[in-house]
Amino acid sequence: MKQFLAILLSTLLGVLLIFNVPVMSKNSTEILWDSWGVPHIYGKDNNSLFKAFGWAQTKSHGNLILKLYGQARGKGAEYWGINYLESDQYVRTMGIPKRAKQWYQEQSPEMQQYLDSFAQGINEYITQHPQEIDEALKVVLPITGTDILAHFQRVIHFHFLTNPQSVKSLKTIASEAGSNGWVIAPEKSLNNHTLLLANPHLPWSDFFLWYEAQLTAPGLNLYGATLVGMPVLAIAFNDNLGWTVTVNPIDGADIYKLKLQEENYVWDGKLQPLEQETERLKIRQKNGSYTELEFGVKKSIHGVIINQQKDYGYALRVTGLDRPHSLEQLWRIGNAKNLEEFEAGLKQLQLPLFNFLYGDKQGKILYVFNGLVPIRSQGNWQDWQGIIPGDTSKFLWTDYHSYQDLPRLANPATGWLQNTNDPPWTSTYPPILNPKDFPEYLTPASLGDAPNILRSQRSIQLLSESEKLSLDEVIEKKFSSELVMADRILDILISTTKALANPIGIEAAEVLKKWDRQTNADSRGAVLFTLWASTLEAKGIFSKPWNPENPLETPSGLADVNTAVAVIEGIAAQVKLLYGSLDVSWGEVVRMRVGEKDLPASGGPGMFGSFRVLNLQATKDEKFQVVFGDSFIMAVEFSDPIQAKVLMVYGNATQPNSSHIGDQLSLYSEGKMRPVFRDRNEIEQHLELKELVN
């Protein structure tokens, strides 16, 4: 019998080898790729897990990752030419490559190993699959753990936290990054389970792309997504809990105006010398030769000098450059098993921004306005949005508020928490957190100052209108594209236009009257309204500003009826000329284009109050293309077993010839999400490929 079993096993192994089926052993790390291009990684230990995650990301986004890491070194122009020069100057001026080396040295030995393992996975994948990577990008190899930290800094500290456009213009320009996030307690849930909705809104390109994965190792089963090139998940759930993040209105970057005298600056009545160093950049020419550019970088006690005008200089001070452990913090919360362990991770205060919304199997929910908030000597939020006097220590911040100082709300009686990039005061409704209990400079004082007030009001409305919610109902509400702005002013616009307009204006009013006030692919009238609103928006549409006495119904009213009517007439003429009809459908004009896919869009700009957020850009064919908005969507019910649905709107890959470029657009177009394959048996039923990463 033993001999028979031995022969059978030998035969089976032979068959597996003939058909190139990986044989799993205790000493192997395995990646199961499902039919949507999602890697499910089974690591024999944490180092192997990180290595396999680097391998997987390279298989899906290898060209993009190499380009991003090359830029994070400040060597894009050296590698690929002058088009990258501006990016390189920004990266070098901000000191990212040098600081990344310092950060690497400050990592724990364990975290250094994880970063090195992630980099090793990238390098080994390219070594074994060289034909899949563009030759021009291989100049970046080999990738190191330092590159990962440089990439993190560039993305988080110098794009999310510090808007490069603000640095360039010396004006406060709000970040485009946004998100919706919900967490619902069992008492508000139809099945008495905690519910979580994660819904970040980011550009559909570059380092803003999300990557979906499952990370499994001894003691860990984590599912979620991270930004491409990052080695840990940023939005995720495990067997016990889950969380999402949203961009919070936090002031983590200030510009100081300095009085200069030659190579000195005035500081508390005395002259202090500027620190100076020289950066050298190589610029690759079309013939393969190089030119060199030298430029000086100057620093004051505040930070790097970003602009100099005669006798004045402008210095940038950014939070968190002295906190090198953000990736370790995210890894720690991913390994948490309960609220206490999760908050222990948050209390490390390494990440310089992001709200956290948390829920778990025990029925606990939490909102935290997380981030590094400078302890300021005086002033309110608005005072710190402009240029700050830099000649006195009175305005120089040197430390941050503790975790205990930050707005935090757990298990509110309302049964739900939300954030749509609004200040913390509307994290639930009626409000519980009070701005008077916190420093005036911490964040805007009211919902009226929210960057997307109408979307925030829509979020609160969607959560408040239902007594109890199921997972499917949460998903249905997530795909709501009704425009709050239309609810506020459409009736006035229609009646005024009918009374004052010429024939084409009256025809437009009839189309708007029949419109469903949504931006679904088949909505007719949405094109007219959004073009009209976009034209008027800069001038101010509403006659009644936001009112704290009526916080969810204001702003409202139409500010200038004569201008409104004149604009609708002009827009109507333009729409008729371009599209042949005033009631052209939204999806005919607004397209989702990813790779070879070109589908009608459903969803609209968040600034008009759509909860299903898609921001648009005009195209050469006189249409509009989605360039920003809904990206990774995750809805989780903490039942037993956990139920979850996800969607990576633009697909989970960018590598040429991948079948997963844009393969989920059709689901998004239909308002649908995919079930999560998390159990191994279920994954194997939807298997596309198995790989062993040793």
Side-chain angles (χ1 to χ4, degrees), residues 92-386:
R92 296 286 191 92
T93 299
M94 298 306 164
I96 292 173
K98 293 177 181 177
R99 191 179 301 107
K101 292 178 182 178
Q102 178 186 335
W103 275 21
Y104 181 83
Q105 296 302 321
E106 294 180 30
Q107 302 298 305
S108 65
E110 180 182 55
M111 201 65 204
Q112 283 184 351
Q113 289 179 7
Y114 294 164
L115 293 171
D116 292 345
S117 295
F118 186 82
Q120 183 185 0
I122 296 171
N123 296 328
E124 289 192 8
Y125 184 87
I126 296 171
T127 298
Q128 295 184 34
H129 302 275
Q131 74 284 356
E132 295 184 18
I133 303 298
D134 287 353
E135 283 298 322
L137 298 171
K138 293 178 183 176
V139 65
V140 184
L141 297 170
I143 301 302
T144 68
T146 299
D147 290 320
I148 300 163
L149 293 169
H151 173 61
F152 178 88
Q153 273 186 48
R154 177 175 178 245
V155 175
I156 301 302
H157 290 80
F158 293 102
H159 279 82
F160 274 86
L161 189 65
T162 308
N163 189 332
Q165 296 306 312
S166 297
V167 172
K168 196 172 183 178
S169 65
L170 299 180
K171 296 178 181 177
T172 300
I173 300 174
S175 170
E176 286 189 354
S179 301
N180 298 328
W182 287 357
V183 61
I184 298 164
E187 59 266 28
K188 179 79 174 177
S189 166
L190 187 66
N191 297 320
N192 297 314
H193 302 135
T194 304
L195 301 171
L196 174 69
L197 173 67
N199 179 207
H201 309 142
L202 291 176
W204 285 15
S205 60
D206 206 46
F207 52 66
F208 294 106
L209 292 180
W210 289 94
Y211 187 66
E212 181 182 344
Q214 181 179 5
L215 306 181
T216 306
L220 178 70
N221 184 6
L222 192 64
Y223 195 107
T226 192
L227 296 176
V228 167
M230 302 295 185
V232 293
L233 297 184
I235 293 173
F237 69 96
N238 59 31
D239 292 333
N240 302 292
L241 57 85
W243 76 92
T244 188
V245 295
T246 63
V247 174
N248 46 351
I250 191 170
D251 185 353
D254 289 321
I255 298 175
Y256 289 83
K257 185 176 182 179
L258 283 65
K259 296 178 182 178
L260 302 181
Q261 291 186 21
E262 296 180 348
E263 298 304 317
N264 304 290
Y265 63 99
V266 177
W267 179 246
D268 284 343
K270 299 179 181 179
L271 291 181
Q272 294 290 336
L274 289 164
E275 295 180 38
Q276 301 193 51
E277 55 188 32
T278 300
E279 288 286 344
R280 294 176 177 84
L281 292 175
K282 286 185 177 181
I283 306 169
R284 184 180 178 85
Q285 306 300 298
K286 291 183 179 180
N287 64 4
S289 65
Y290 295 90
T291 59
E292 287 198 4
L293 173 69
E294 284 190 2
F295 65 97
V297 177
K298 302 177 181 179
K299 297 178 184 177
S300 70
I301 194 172
H302 314 79
V304 67
I305 306 300
I306 55 174
N307 188 296
Q308 188 169 338
Q309 301 172 3
K310 294 184 179 179
D311 297 332
Y312 292 96
Y314 296 86
L316 176 69
R317 190 165 185 79
V318 179
T319 62
L321 301 183
D322 55 346
R323 302 284 175 102
H325 303 299
S326 292
L327 294 173
E328 183 177 351
Q329 181 179 18
L330 286 169
W331 173 245
R332 182 172 176 180
I333 64 174
N335 281 271
K337 295 178 173 57
N338 52 48
L339 178 59
E340 291 71 28
E341 291 183 8
F342 185 85
E343 281 206 272
L346 283 188
K347 288 175 182 177
Q348 291 179 279
L349 280 184
Q350 298 293 311
L351 282 165
L353 78 167
F354 299 121
N355 295 296
F356 276 79
L357 291 109
Y358 161 102
D360 64 27
K361 268 191 173 180
Q362 297 176 349
K364 296 178 180 179
I365 65 174
L366 172 73
Y367 161 83
V368 178
F369 181 92
N370 169 77
L372 295 169
V373 178
I375 299 174
R376 306 181 189 276
S377 60
Q378 58 188 278
N380 59 30
W381 172 262
Q382 288 301 327
D383 294 334
W384 287 88
Q385 298 313 295

Side-chain angles (χ1 to χ4, degrees), residues 40 194 449 488 576 683:
H40 303 261
T194 304
D449 298 314
R488 301 276 169 87
K576 200 161 197 175
I683 297 164

Side-chain angles (χ1 to χ4, degrees), residues 182 197 458 462 469-481 611-612 635 671 673:
W182 287 357
L197 173 67
R458 180 63 173 148
L462 288 168
L469 288 165
S470 66
L471 184 66
D472 287 341
E473 287 169 331
V474 165
I475 293 170
E476 181 183 353
K477 288 177 182 293
K478 188 273 138 315
F479 283 106
S480 169
S481 71
F611 199 66
R612 184 176 187 172
M673 294 173 66

Side-chain angles (χ1 to χ4, degrees), residues 363-414:
K364 296 178 180 179
I365 65 174
L366 172 73
Y367 161 83
V368 178
F369 181 92
N370 169 77
L372 295 169
V373 178
I375 299 174
R376 306 181 189 276
S377 60
Q378 58 188 278
N380 59 30
W381 172 262
Q382 288 301 327
D383 294 334
W384 287 88
Q385 298 313 295
I387 304 296
I388 311 301
D391 58 349
T392 169
S393 56
K394 182 168 63 173
F395 298 110
L396 184 72
W397 48 263
T398 57
D399 202 358
Y400 310 118
H401 281 276
S402 68
Y403 183 80
Q404 287 71 26
D405 292 342
L406 302 176
R408 172 192 180 276
L409 185 56
N411 308 315
T414 56

Side-chain angles (χ1 to χ4, degrees), residues 578-579 587-593 598 617-626:
L578 289 175
Y579 310 119
E588 184 178 337
V589 175
V590 180
R591 310 297 295 179
M592 297 188 297
R593 293 169 174 168
D598 185 345
Q617 180 176 294
T619 58
K620 293 180 180 179
D621 60 355
E622 307 292 355
K623 294 188 177 182
F624 291 87
Q625 179 177 330
V626 176

